[in-house]
């Protein structure tokens, strides 16, 4: 990864940045997101831009941090006044989450210099994309229409010209290959099995990762942040993505059984147990299968939604970082902290992981199977 | 990732890691580790606000001045520098070692603590003999400068009579040139590996009193906040083994007639920094914490009409 990064001349990097982001039609043609309509010469209409928002295919069913009615309220207030004051008024409990620039703090360890093109999959309400769009060209993709509309309003009101918002479901959209220098997946991979119900959730996750790899430039990197299946918060009984505690600890069949009797959590689509998380070794195997290589891995001590103080899973770096964390109170606690710098312990019990990934081999462009559509 | 960091990172080959280190708000510090190495190859400091950029410029100037004696003074070297309108980035060579803690007792710094303090005193003597202060001023001129800064404080803290105490101490002393000071010498900036192995964070490099670095190291020793006031008295004012030990160290750095001015000059500099009047902005919370921590000590000194230390 680093060697190809270093070999990319500034002219090549600029040329890539200048070319607009393009979708790939089922006929194989690339359609740049330039005008307000995406009409292919083969006759297919992939989507259109309206109020600064690209709508490609059918949106995903609503789900989110707040109920649908409150989200509708937020949007209507946003259209009348500034999104910041609207967020503080309608969603006071989420205002910090939406406004905190530290949500994108992981960018400091992502080997991408400013000016590169990023894709954020599952951009949500845009805390990360909006922050990154100050230095990068960002394409924010969000499946839920209401959240994408909020993000488009936010981009327009803040004058973020380098932020393009796309409302599309990841398994329906096809970008032209090798056009993103960085792909951000912050708390997305675990939910993938809900939107793509063909086969097991693991198979859906593999498809998702392979597709992301296809969209990645040869020298690009993927940032993947996700929970540890056996992490300390899970062992303490925090709620899993199913809505129940401890389900990630159970064998998958037992978790499915437990979830069969539980009302859907966050959305009607969350039926059965399809939100798989893994241990560190499990992620390594999954990523290897998707032909992705782990360049760096971290534990997020405050969770991946606040990626500050990332702890590198590298023995010397971890020891060095922990030695500079200031003084812990009490001799026993200090002694414990000095000794508790085994990487395996953090791999085993760390709450959330953050991975920096590169393509293990050049991605081959896969032809679209006849059943898959870009114009769903 | 900052462009300069990315350029250096791309040059590293093999299994490498980037560790974010604790840093002030608005600043990012990253340590890069190469394959198999236990020490960082380089450390990147990035500042995005005006005050942070200014501090990085000061650190860079300090590293340039220290460059001829870098190995003797265990200081990092500058590897690269970039400043734009938006940010500044300084890449320094990495220093090995780790932080060490000890417990300070009234019967003197022993074991670890004593050994470490001895090494620090030896280091300060070497530093003052090798390096010239970055500006040619006398200690009296510095006293006038700090007194003016304390008087200009917008709030009621630090107390205004501190400027008078400083001027009073200055009036009775003989004129002496200022010494070079690290400016933020505390155990968090000293790395140890079979002895002192590195001194980091040079953004406070300035001219000051010869006792400044020693006092800073003692006052910021590992201790619980509630112990600090009693330790302060034990270091400088109570007849105990600890006071005799610190007095011996002070005697190696400055003659006894200069101690009073050096001591109040250090306190004034410290209060100026705690109040956010120096080159590092302090948040409301930090200022409140500092005020709570320092108020009993300042009141105690005021009650005794600003006594001379180690007397």
């Amino acid at each position: 990864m680093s060697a190809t990064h270093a070999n990319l001349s500034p002219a090549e990097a600029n040329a890539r940045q200048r070319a607009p982001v393009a979708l790939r039609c089922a006929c194989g043609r690339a359609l740049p997101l330039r005008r307000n309509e995406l009409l292919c010469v083969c006759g297919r209409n992939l989507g259109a831009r309206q109020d600064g928002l690209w709508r490609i295919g059918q949106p995903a069913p609503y789900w989110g941090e707040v109920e649908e009615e409150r989200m509708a309220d937020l949007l209507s207030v946003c259209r009348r006044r500034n999104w910041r004051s609207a967020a503080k008024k309608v969603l006071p409990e989420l205002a910090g989450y939406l406004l905190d620039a530290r949500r994108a703090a992981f960018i400091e360890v992502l080997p991408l210099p400013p000016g590169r093109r990023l894709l954020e999959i599952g951009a949500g309400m845009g805390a990360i994309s909006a922050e990154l769009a100050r230095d990068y060209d960002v394409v924010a993709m969000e499946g839920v229409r209401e959240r994408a509309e909020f993000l488009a309003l936010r981009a327009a009101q803040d004058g973020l010209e380098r932020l393009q918002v796309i409302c599309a479901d990841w398994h329906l959209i096809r970008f032209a290959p090798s056009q993103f220098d960085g792909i951000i997946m912050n708390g997305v991979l675990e939910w993938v099995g809900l939107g793509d119900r063909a086969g097991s959730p693991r198979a859906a996750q593999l498809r998702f990762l392979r597709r992301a790899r296809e969209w990645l430039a040869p020298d690009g990197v993927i940032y993947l942040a996700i929970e540890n299946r056996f992490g300390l918060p899970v062992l303490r009984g925090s709620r899993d993505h199913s809505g129940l505690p401890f389900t990630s600890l159970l064998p998958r069949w037992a978790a499915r059984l437990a979830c069969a009797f539980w009302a859907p959590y966050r959305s009607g689509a969350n039926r059965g147990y399809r939100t798989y998380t893994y241990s560190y070794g499990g992620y390594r195997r999954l990523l290897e299968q998707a032909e992705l290589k782990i360049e760096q891995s971290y534990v997020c001590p405050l969770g991946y939604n606040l990626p500050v103080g990332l702890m590198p899973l590298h023995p010397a770096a971890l020891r060095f970082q922990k030695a500079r964390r200031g003084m812990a109170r009490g001799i026993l606690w200090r002694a414990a902290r000095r000794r508790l710098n085994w990487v395996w312990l953090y791999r085993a019990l760390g709450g959330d992981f953050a991975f920096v990934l590169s393509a293990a081999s050049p991605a081959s462009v896969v032809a679209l199977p006849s059943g898959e559509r870009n114009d769903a | 990732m900052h462009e300069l960091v990315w350029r250096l990172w791309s040059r590293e080959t093999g299994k490498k890691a980037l560790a974010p280190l604790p840093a002030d708000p608005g600043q990012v510090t990253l340590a890069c580790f190469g394959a198999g190495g236990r020490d960082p190859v380089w450390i990147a400091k990035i500042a995005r606000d005006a005050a942070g950029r200014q501090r990085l410029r000061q650190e860079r100037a300090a590293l340039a001045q220290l460059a001829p004696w870098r190995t003797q003074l265990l200081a990092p070297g500058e590897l690269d520098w970039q400043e734009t309108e938006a940010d500044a980035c300084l890449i320094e060579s990495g220093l090995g070692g780790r932080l060490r803690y000890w417990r300070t007792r009234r019967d003197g710094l022993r074991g670890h603590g004593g050994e470490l303090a001895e090494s620090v005193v030896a280091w300060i003597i070497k530093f003052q003999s090798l390096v010239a202060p970055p500006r040619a001023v006398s200690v009296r001129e510095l006293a006038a400068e700090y007194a003016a800064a304390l008087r200009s404080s917008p709030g009621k803290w630090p107390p205004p009579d501190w400027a008078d105490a400083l001027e009073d101490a200055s009036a009775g002393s003989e004129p002496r040139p200022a010494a070079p000071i690290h400016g933020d010498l505390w155990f968090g900036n000293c790395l140890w590996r079979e002895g002192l192995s590195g001194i980091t964070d040079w953004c406070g490099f300035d001219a000051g009193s010869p006792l400044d670095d020693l006092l800073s190291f003692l006052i910021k020793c590992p201790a619980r906040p509630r112990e600090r006031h009693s330790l302060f008295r034990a270091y400088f004012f109570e007849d105990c083994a600890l006071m005799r030990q610190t007095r011996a160290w002070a005697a190696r750095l400055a003659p006894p007639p200069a101690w009073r001015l050096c001591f109040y000059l250090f306190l004034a500099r410290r209060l100026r920094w705690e109040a956010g009047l120096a080159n590092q902005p302090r948040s409301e919370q930090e200022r409140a914490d500092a005020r709570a921590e320092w108020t009993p000590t300042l009141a105690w000194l005021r009650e005794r009409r600003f006594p001379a230390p180690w007397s």
Side-chain angles (χ1 to χ4, degrees), chain B residues 11-51:
Chain B
R11 268 186 239 155
E12 299 290 332
T13 51
K15 188 79 185 161
K16 50 193 177 175
L18 207 55
L21 302 180
D24 294 325
Q27 208 168 357
V28 176
T29 307
L30 299 166
C32 171
F33 287 80
R38 67 171 175 168
D39 296 330
V41 187
W42 46 261
I43 290 188
K45 294 182 173 181
I46 304 152
R48 302 217 157 86
D49 56 350

Side-chain angles (χ1 to χ4, degrees), chain B residues 15 32 34 53 113 120 153 155 174 208 310:
Chain B
K15 188 79 185 161
C32 171
R53 287 206 300 272
V120 166
S153 175
E174 54 185 70
W310 301 299

Side-chain angles (χ1 to χ4, degrees), chain B residues 43-280:
Chain B
I43 290 188
K45 294 182 173 181
I46 304 152
R48 302 217 157 86
D49 56 350
R53 287 206 300 272
Q54 175 62 22
R55 281 203 306 281
L56 282 192
R57 278 196 289 270
Q58 284 175 357
E59 180 154 6
R60 185 177 178 231
L63 296 188
Q65 197 179 331
L66 296 171
W69 306 285
R70 191 162 79 77
T71 331
Q72 289 113 300
L73 294 177
L74 314 169
E78 180 192 323
L79 297 182
D80 216 335
W81 164 259
Q82 190 183 70
E83 186 170 8
T84 62
E85 277 178 16
D87 57 27
C89 178
L90 174 66
I91 313 270
E92 302 174 353
S93 55
L95 295 172
R98 63 185 180 90
L99 303 189
R100 299 196 76 167
Y101 308 105
W102 62 91
R103 188 151 179 78
T104 311
R105 295 176 195 281
R106 301 167 87 83
D107 57 352
L109 282 166
R110 287 167 203 283
H112 260 354
E115 226 174 83
L116 304 183
E118 282 288 350
S119 332
V120 166
V121 173
W123 181 88
I124 296 171
I125 293 170
K126 197 196 293 176
F127 171 53
Q128 291 182 358
S129 66
L130 289 174
V131 182
R135 53 195 176 124
V137 283
S138 71
V139 176
R140 271 188 181 178
E141 285 166 330
L142 281 175
E145 184 186 313
Y146 292 169
L150 291 182
R151 284 205 180 95
S152 72
S153 175
K156 286 185 180 167
W157 198 85
D161 59 345
W162 269 84
D164 303 336
L166 187 60
E167 280 174 347
D168 176 50
S170 166
S173 73
E174 54 185 70
R176 294 173 58 84
I181 58 165
H182 173 277
D184 192 16
L185 194 71
W186 66 296
F187 73 91
N189 284 336
C190 301
L191 302 176
W192 311 89
R193 179 178 290 153
E194 294 156 9
L196 196 57
S197 65
I199 302 284
T200 61
D201 204 357
W202 284 86
C203 61
F205 178 62
D206 197 359
S209 88
L211 292 185
D212 201 290
D213 282 337
L214 172 68
L215 294 171
S216 161
F217 184 79
L218 293 175
I219 282 183
K220 288 274 286 174
C221 70
R224 294 193 180 96
R226 66 169 182 274
E227 291 172 350
R228 287 194 184 277
H229 176 56
S230 68
L231 265 183
F232 180 86
R233 281 161 45 188
Y235 274 138
F236 309 116
F237 298 102
E238 285 174 8
D239 190 16
C240 62
L242 186 60
M243 193 268 253
R244 285 191 288 279
Q245 200 174 22
T246 57
R247 183 167 56 192
W249 289 329
R252 289 164 66 187
L253 292 166
W259 286 351
R260 185 163 182 253
L261 175 56
C262 287
F263 181 77
Y264 287 101
L265 196 61
F266 162 73
L267 282 186
R269 206 175 74 81
R270 182 84 214 164
L271 294 180
R272 194 178 67 136
W273 182 81
E274 298 275 23
L277 302 170
N279 66 355
Q280 192 163 2

Side-chain angles (χ1 to χ4, degrees), chain A residues 1-2 5-6 107-114 116 136 294-296 298 310 312 314 316-317 319-321 323-327 329-331 334 338, chain B residues 1 3 6 9-10 12 15-22 28 30-31 33-34 37-38 40 43 46 48 95 97-99 101 187 191 222-225:
Chain A
M1 178 267 298
S2 50
H5 253 315
I107 198 67
E108 300 295 350
V109 297
L110 210 57
L112 289 172
R116 295 295 172 101
Y136 296 85
I294 299 179
E295 294 285 343
Q296 297 177 69
Y298 295 92
L310 294 176
H314 177 285
R319 204 174 306 124
F320 187 84
Q321 189 199 48
R324 270 149 196 77
R325 284 250 159 137
M327 191 180 66
R329 285 186 188 170
I331 290 171
R334 279 208 295 276
R338 265 207 299 277
Chain B
M1 184 179 274
E3 188 155 5
W6 172 75
W9 174 257
S10 304
E12 299 290 332
K15 188 79 185 161
K16 50 193 177 175
L18 207 55
L21 302 180
V28 176
L30 299 166
F33 287 80
R38 67 171 175 168
I43 290 188
I46 304 152
R48 302 217 157 86
L95 295 172
R98 63 185 180 90
L99 303 189
Y101 308 105
F187 73 91
L191 302 176
R224 294 193 180 96

Side-chain angles (χ1 to χ4, degrees), chain A residues 97-118:
Chain A
Y97 176 79
L98 294 177
L99 291 166
D100 197 344
R102 294 177 302 167
R103 298 266 325 266
F106 61 81
I107 198 67
E108 300 295 350
V109 297
L110 210 57
L112 289 172
R116 295 295 172 101
R117 179 183 290 160
L118 307 181

